[in-house]
Amino acid sequence: MKTLPRLSLHSRAYVILFVCLSVPLIATWYLVRYVNQNIFYSQKESHLMSMAQILDTRLSDGGYDAILRDAGALTATREQKIAVLNEALRGDTDEIASVSAGLGIGVYSRELDAILTYGPSGSFQNTVGSPISETHPGRLVMAENRRMVSMGTMVRGNIMNAMFPVVRGGAVIG
């Protein structure tokens, strides 16, 4: 049976030195990567929440019902209500979505169980009128009336999604 040659004292010292230098370098690299990633996501989260807040402030105090009432569509069909609300909100969502490349922003109605608008509408118009899935985190946002940022497959694929409850008259409407 063949035995491995023993390392000299110098060789063992180099191996120990290599390990002692490698561990802190790897740990530092991981820490810097982790901190940078958290800062990046924190900035993205702040940006997305700001955009949602702007959109929320543009919605009238009366919410969706005020828009429908002004358009004479309170007794309209579900599809007609979605069309009226989309027409009223689309300009705002498109404007806000244009602020940042790749940004998508939408408005959802709990009562109609439909995405009312999703901007930029030129790219995502096909989502209007669609419900969100039963497992979509937006349902939890509405149920718990709290903001949430989530990563994962949502309405338009694997994205970072900031969700903000739309509250009017003390009730979450979307």
Side-chain angles (χ1 to χ4, degrees), residues 29-48:
W29 169 80
Y30 179 77
L31 184 63
V32 166
R33 185 173 160 253
Y34 178 78
V35 168
N36 280 338
Q37 190 174 37
N38 280 348
I39 289 170
F40 173 76
Y41 285 128
S42 178
Q43 287 175 338
K44 280 284 196 195
E45 178 179 335
S46 175
H47 181 71
L48 290 171

Side-chain angles (χ1 to χ4, degrees), residues 17-86:
L17 182 63
F18 177 75
V19 170
C20 288
L21 291 175
S22 296
V23 169
L25 286 174
I26 291 170
T28 301
W29 169 80
Y30 179 77
L31 184 63
V32 166
R33 185 173 160 253
Y34 178 78
V35 168
N36 280 338
Q37 190 174 37
N38 280 348
I39 289 170
F40 173 76
Y41 285 128
S42 178
Q43 287 175 338
K44 280 284 196 195
E45 178 179 335
S46 175
H47 181 71
L48 290 171
M49 284 299 182
S50 296
M51 296 299 108
Q53 183 68 48
I54 290 168
L55 188 58
D56 185 54
T57 59
R58 290 191 178 181
L59 183 62
S60 72
D61 289 338
Y64 307 138
D65 285 344
I67 295 170
L68 293 171
R69 186 175 39 257
D70 291 347
L74 277 175
T75 59
T77 66
R78 177 181 181 272
E79 289 73 25
Q80 290 169 332
K81 287 179 179 180
I82 292 168
V84 166
L85 292 166
N86 177 262

